[in-house]
C-alpha cells in the first residue's frame, strides 16, 4: 500500500470505488499478441469520459489517457498543428526505461515525439545519485523557463529520483515557479492522470509519494530500439550503502511476479525484440520477497526458454549476492551475454565495511576468479568511487591493486559526492578535493591502460555482433555490439539492423573494433 505523500498540492484526487474496469486489449492477427500494436489498438475513443474514472489500475490510467487525448486534440486545434513532446533522461538504465513508459503514453495520447526542448511539453526525468546530476537539471531548467516566456502554453514536467527529495521540491516550488508538474519515482504509472489535470488546470501540480509497494502492469511503452529492450524485473534497493541515495529515492526492493516478466518478454519477442536487458538495482537478490520465492538464476533459466530472444543481459549485480547458481547458469547458457557489471566501489576492506558493502577485498577477488574460471571469455566492468570519507592513500592503493588484478574491460569511476541524508554525508573526515582529484586521475589512467589491453584480446576472432545502427560518422558502416558489450563498426547496410551477424574483428582501436562481415 502506498504510504502518505510528503507533498500534495492543488490536485486532490476524488477517491471513488467505481466498477472494475479493464482496458480492452485488441490482439494482433490470429491470436499472436503483438505488444506494440496491442497497446496502440486500445480504442481510447471508446472510453466514456462522461463516466467517473475507474478506481482499479491500469484501467484508471487508460481512462485518463483517453481524457488526455481529448485535451491534446483541443490543444492541437488551438495551435493549428500537432503538439510536440520531448522527454530528456538523466541517469541510469532504470530512468531510460521509465522514459520509454512516458513516451509510450505521450504517443498514445497524440503528441509528436521530438528531441527538441522547444516542444509544447518537456519532461525532465532526473537523477540524483551525484550532486552534479542535480546541478545539471537546475541549469537546464533555467533555460526552459526562458523558453516558456516566449511559449506561454508550454508545459514543463519534472520526475525521477531528484523529485523524491523534499528539499528539491521545495526549491523548485519557490524558485522555479514556471514548472507545471512534479511527480516522483513511485507514481510514474499515474502520469496520464497527472498530465490530464495539468492540461486542464492552472498552477503547479505536485504529487510525490514517499514509498510504495504497488507495481502497475500493462501500461503502454514505446521502445527506443525495435530490436532490444530493457525489462524491469525489480524496483528499489534494500542495501543502504552508506554513500548512496538510491534506497531513499527508489524505495524498498520489490520484485515483479515472474509470470508478468515472462509475459512481457514473450510479447517483446513476438514484436521482433532479440535482446533483453533485465533491470534492477540489485538483480542478484531478485525474487526473495515474492509470495513464491524464486532466484535470479531461476528467472534467467525461464527467460532463456523464450523463442526469439537471442541475447540476455542484466544490470546491476551486487557482489555480496552473486550466487554459484548464477555463475553456473551463465556458463552453460547460449543466450546470456558474456558480460558482468560487478561494482567494486573500493578495494579497501576497511572502506568497504564503512560503505556497508558487506564483502571484503579478498571475497571480491575470489568472486572475480571464480567468474573467470567458469566463463573465460567474460568481460568484467565495474563502478569505483574515489574519495569516500576517510579514504587514505593506503586504502586507495588497495583499490588500484584490485583494478590491476581484476583487469576490468572498463570501469566507471566516480568522485565521491556527498548526498544529504545518507550516513556518509555526516562523516567528518571528508577527503580534500585536490587529493581526490589526484587519486581520480591516477585511477583513470590505470583503468584506461588495462581496458585498452583487455579490449584488444579478441583481435582476429570472428564473433557474432548485433547490428544496432548506422554509424553516425560514416553511413557506409554499421555499429553493433559483441556479446561482451564492446562496440564494433563494420561495412553493411541498414537492412541488417536488429540482426546478429558474424563479424571478423580486424583491428582494435582503443575501445572499439573495426571489422568485416564474415
Ligand atoms: N558519490 C559518488 N558515486 C556514487 N555512486 C552512488 N552514489 C554515489 C555517491 N554518493 C556510484 C556508485 C554506483 C553508481 C551507480 O554510482 O559507484 O555503483
Ligand atoms: Fe545504491 Fe548500494 Fe543499492 Fe547500489 S546496492 S543502489 S550502490 S544502495
Amino acid at each position: 500500500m502506498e504510504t502518505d505523500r510528503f507533498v500534495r498540492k492543488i490536485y486532490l484526487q476524488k477517491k471513488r470505488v467505481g466498477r472494475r474496469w479493464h482496458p480492452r486489449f485488441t490482439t494482433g492477427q490470429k491470436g499472436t499478441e503483438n505488444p506494440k500494436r496491442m497497446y496502440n489498438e486500445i480504442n481510447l475513443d471508446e472510453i466514456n469520459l462522461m463516466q467517473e474514472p475507474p478506481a482499479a489500475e491500469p484501467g484508471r490510467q487508460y481512462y485518463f489517457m483517453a481524457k488526455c487525448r481529448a485535451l491534446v486534440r483541443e490543444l492541437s486545434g488551438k495551435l493549428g498543428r500537432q503538439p510536440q513532446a520531448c522527454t530528456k533522461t538523466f541517469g541510469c538504465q532504470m530512468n531510460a526505461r521509465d522514459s520509454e513508459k512516458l513516451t509510450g503514453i505521450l504517443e498514445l495520447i497524440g503528441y509528436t515525439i521530438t528531441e527538441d526542448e522547444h516542444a509544447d511539453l518537456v519532461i525532465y526525468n532526473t537523477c540524483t545519485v551525484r550532486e552534479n546530476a542535480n546541478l545539471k537539471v537546475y541549469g537546464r531548467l533555467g533555460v526552459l523557463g526562458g523558453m516558456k516566456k516566449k511559449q506561454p502554453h508550454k508545459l514543463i514536467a519534472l520526475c525521477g529520483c531528484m523529485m523524491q527529495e523534499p528539499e528539491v521540491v521545495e526549491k523548485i516550488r519557490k524558485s522555479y515557479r514556471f514548472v507545471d508538474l512534479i511527480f516522483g519515482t513511485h507514481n510514474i504509472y499515474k502520469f496520464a492522470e497527472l498530465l490530464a489535470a495539468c492540461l486542464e488546470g492552472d498552477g503547479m501540480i505536485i504529487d510525490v509519494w514517499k514509498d510504495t509497494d504497488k507495481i502497475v502492469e500493462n501500461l503502454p511503452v514505446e521502445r527506443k530500439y525495435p530490436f532490444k529492450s530493457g525489462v524491469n524485473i525489480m524496483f528499489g534497493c534494500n542495501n543502504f550503502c552508506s554513500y548512496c541515495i538510491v534506497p531513499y529515492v527508489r524505495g524498498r526492493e520489490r520484485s515483479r511476479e515472474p509470470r508478468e516478466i515472462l509475459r512481457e518478454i514473450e510479447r517483446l519477442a513476438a514484436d521482433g525484440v532479440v535482446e533483453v536487458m533485465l533491470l534492477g538495482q540489485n538483480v542478484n537478490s531478485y525474487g526473495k520477497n515474492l509470495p513464491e520465492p524464486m532466484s535470479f538464476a531461476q528467472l534467467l533459466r525461464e527467460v532463456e526458454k523464450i523463442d526469439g530472444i537471442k541475447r540476455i543481459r542484466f544490470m546491476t549485480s551486487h557482489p555480496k549476492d552473486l550466487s554459484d547458481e548464477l555463475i553456473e547458469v551463465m556458463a552453460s547458457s547460449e543466450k546470456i551475454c558474456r558480460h558482468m557489471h560487478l561494482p567494486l566501489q573500493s578495494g579497501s576492506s576497511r572502506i568497504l565495511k564503512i560503505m556497508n558493502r558487506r564483502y571484503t577485498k579478498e571475497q571480491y577477488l575470489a568472486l572475480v576468479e571464480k567468474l573467470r574460471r567458469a566463463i573465460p571469455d567474460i568481460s568484467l566492468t565495474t563502478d569505483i568511487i574515489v574519495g569516500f570519507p576517510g579514504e587514505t592513500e593506503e586504502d586507495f592503493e588497495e583499490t588500484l591493486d584490485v583494478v590491476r588484478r581484476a583487469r576490468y574491460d572498463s570501469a566507471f569511476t566516480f568522485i565521491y559526492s556527498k548526498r544529504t541524508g545518507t550516513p556518509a554525508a555526516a562523516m567528518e573526515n571528508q577527503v580534500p578535493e585536490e587529493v581526490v582529484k589526484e587519486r581520480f586521475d591516477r585511477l583513470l589512467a590505470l583503468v584506461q591502460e588495462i581496458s585498452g589491453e583487455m579490449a584488444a584480446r579478441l583481435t582476429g576472432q570472428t564473433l557474432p555482433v548485433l547490428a544496432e545502427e548506422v554509424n553516425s560518422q560514416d553511413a557506409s558502416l554499421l555499429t553493433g555490439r559483441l556479446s561482451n558489450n564492446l562496440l564494433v563498426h563494420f561495412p553493411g547496410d541498414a537492412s541488417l539492423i536488429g540482426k546478429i551477424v558474424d563479424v571478423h574483428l580486424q583491428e582494435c582501436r582503443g575501445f572499439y573494433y573495426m571489422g568485416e562481415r564474415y
Side-chain angles (χ1 to χ4, degrees):
M1 202 182 68
E2 60 269 18
T3 53
D4 57 320
R5 294 125 205 226
F6 67 75
V7 193
R8 187 130 175 82
K9 261 200 80 209
I10 302 173
Y11 183 63
L12 289 169
Q13 177 188 323
K14 276 188 238 148
K15 279 246 179 246
R16 278 259 199 151
V17 183
R19 199 156 42 91
R20 205 174 158 73
W21 186 91
H22 283 289
R24 191 173 63 85
F25 292 125
T26 320
T27 54
Q29 286 172 5
K30 297 199 173 93
T32 43
E33 290 193 357
N34 175 331
K36 225 168 158 189
R37 288 180 51 204
M38 182 185 73
Y39 295 128
N40 290 338
E41 283 176 15
I42 293 164
N43 194 348
L44 293 185
D45 293 329
E46 279 179 15
I47 293 173
N48 183 356
L49 293 172
M50 303 306 282
Q51 283 179 2
E52 285 293 324
E57 301 294 0
R60 185 176 177 85
Q61 294 315 309
Y62 280 96
Y63 173 94
F64 283 106
M65 283 176 226
K67 189 158 188 177
C68 282
R69 179 183 272 191
L71 293 163
V72 170
R73 267 192 204 133
E74 222 174 272
L75 177 63
S76 173
K78 278 189 209 149
L79 296 172
R81 60 174 170 80
Q82 200 75 8
Q84 295 189 320
C86 165
T87 307
K88 287 280 167 207
T89 312
F90 301 82
C92 67
Q93 303 262 6
M94 284 283 194
N95 267 14
R97 184 64 179 157
D98 281 348
S99 290
E100 290 185 345
K101 293 174 187 170
L102 298 175
T103 308
I105 293 171
L106 291 169
E107 284 228 306
L108 196 56
I109 63 180
Y111 278 100
T112 305
I113 307 301
T114 170
E115 293 279 303
D116 184 350
E117 294 185 31
H118 287 93
D120 307 287
L121 165 62
V122 178
I123 307 172
Y124 281 178
N125 189 2
T126 63
C127 169
T128 189
V129 79
R130 285 170 292 275
E131 168 108 54
N132 49 10
N134 291 39
L135 299 178
K136 222 187 276 173
V137 167
Y138 289 128
R140 291 177 66 156
L141 207 46
V143 179
L144 279 190
M147 288 182 195
K148 191 162 175 169
K149 288 196 182 121
K150 293 184 201 135
Q151 299 171 277
H153 72 283
K154 189 182 186 85
L155 290 180
I156 299 172
L158 300 173
C159 64
C161 295
M162 212 174 136
M163 300 306 125
Q164 291 296 137
E165 294 184 275
E167 320 77 67
V168 169
V169 175
E170 208 37 46
K171 178 166 173 171
I172 292 167
R173 225 166 53 78
K174 287 212 184 101
S175 313
Y176 298 85
R177 298 174 67 91
F178 53 83
V179 170
D180 300 280
L181 171 60
I182 297 178
F183 58 104
T185 55
H186 301 301
N187 58 345
I188 190 161
Y189 75 87
K190 261 185 75 181
F191 174 55
E193 185 168 351
L194 295 168
L195 183 61
C198 231
L199 285 164
E200 265 188 323
D202 208 5
M204 193 187 286
I205 293 170
I206 304 176
D207 192 6
V208 180
W209 301 0
K210 266 191 187 151
D211 209 348
T212 187
D213 62 4
K214 195 167 182 153
I215 297 178
V216 177
E217 300 285 354
N218 293 320
L219 286 171
V221 53
E222 183 63 34
R223 293 191 306 279
K224 194 167 169 201
Y225 299 94
F227 53 86
K228 68 173 183 177
S229 178
V231 175
N232 296 108
I233 63 163
M234 59 201 300
F235 303 94
C237 180
N238 285 353
N239 288 318
F240 289 95
C241 300
S242 63
Y243 50 82
C244 185
I245 202 159
V246 168
Y248 306 89
V249 296
R250 286 265 171 189
R252 295 295 67 72
E253 213 167 271
R254 301 161 321 272
S255 294
R256 279 177 78 195
E257 283 288 342
R259 65 172 177 278
E260 296 288 356
I261 297 170
L262 297 172
R263 201 162 67 119
E264 180 178 341
I265 300 176
E266 280 162 9
R267 286 170 167 179
L268 288 169
D271 195 34
V273 165
V274 292
E275 178 179 305
V276 285
M277 163 81 94
L278 308 181
L279 296 170
Q281 304 295 348
N282 178 15
V283 292
N284 301 105
S285 72
Y286 170 80
K288 285 189 180 148
N289 301 320
L290 285 170
E292 287 174 43
M294 178 186 221
S295 71
F296 179 54
Q298 283 169 324
L299 177 72
L300 280 172
R301 279 208 177 96
E302 294 304 313
V303 176
E304 265 217 280
K305 290 180 195 156
I306 299 175
D307 282 342
I309 296 297
K310 299 195 174 111
R311 281 184 169 183
I312 305 167
R313 299 185 185 278
F314 53 84
M315 183 92 111
T316 290
S317 292
H318 194 304
K320 81 174 163 60
D321 296 313
L322 203 152
S323 66
D324 289 351
E325 188 195 9
L326 174 63
I327 298 177
E328 274 162 38
V329 171
M330 276 186 90
S332 62
S333 170
E334 296 275 312
K335 294 186 178 180
I336 303 173
C337 288
R338 293 350 219 173
H339 175 213
M340 171 76 75
H341 186 68
L342 197 60
L344 168 69
Q345 313 301 2
S346 168
S348 153
S349 297
R350 191 185 76 84
I351 293 289
L352 285 169
K353 192 157 197 311
I354 310 172
M355 284 179 162
N356 193 29
R357 292 291 289 176
R358 285 171 277 173
Y359 53 84
T360 61
K361 174 186 179 185
E362 289 69 31
Q363 284 165 334
Y364 184 95
L365 284 170
L367 197 54
V368 168
E369 209 184 305
K370 210 191 280 181
L371 276 165
R372 289 222 189 272
R373 212 178 314 124
I375 314 160
D377 55 343
I378 198 166
S379 149
L380 271 183
T381 59
T382 199
D383 294 341
I384 300 171
I385 298 177
V386 181
F388 181 83
E391 183 190 74
T392 62
E393 177 59 27
E394 290 70 42
D395 293 317
F396 178 66
E397 290 285 346
E398 300 273 15
T399 300
L400 295 180
D401 188 42
V402 176
V403 171
R404 277 188 209 103
R405 295 212 220 169
R407 296 190 62 74
Y408 296 109
D409 289 76
S410 76
F412 296 99
T413 49
F414 304 109
I415 286 184
Y416 167 73
S417 171
K418 199 169 169 175
R419 306 314 291 129
T420 311
T422 60
M427 293 176 189
E428 276 166 10
N429 43 359
Q430 305 281 327
V431 184
E433 206 179 309
E434 48 308 341
V435 176
V436 180
K437 287 225 168 90
E438 190 266 341
R439 285 181 194 162
F440 183 83
D441 291 344
R442 275 157 68 202
L443 174 65
L444 196 63
L446 180 64
V447 160
Q448 285 178 347
E449 181 192 320
I450 294 173
S451 53
E453 290 165 15
M454 291 302 281
R457 75 191 191 278
L458 301 175
T459 310
Q461 294 192 31
T462 299
L463 291 170
V465 171
L466 172 59
E468 298 200 340
E469 55 204 1
V470 173
N471 187 297
S472 52
Q473 317 284 325
D474 178 349
S476 70
L477 297 178
L478 290 177
T479 298
R481 269 175 208 278
L482 291 166
S483 166
N484 76 3
N485 216 28
L486 271 185
L487 286 178
V488 184
H489 307 296
F490 60 99
D493 63 80
S495 66
L496 290 176
I497 290 175
K499 299 205 167 70
I500 295 179
V501 290
D502 282 337
V503 176
H504 182 245
L505 306 176
Q506 287 170 316
E507 187 195 345
C508 179
R509 293 195 189 155
F511 307 101
Y512 62 88
Y513 277 99
M514 298 307 294
E516 282 283 348
R517 269 189 80 195
Y518 192 63

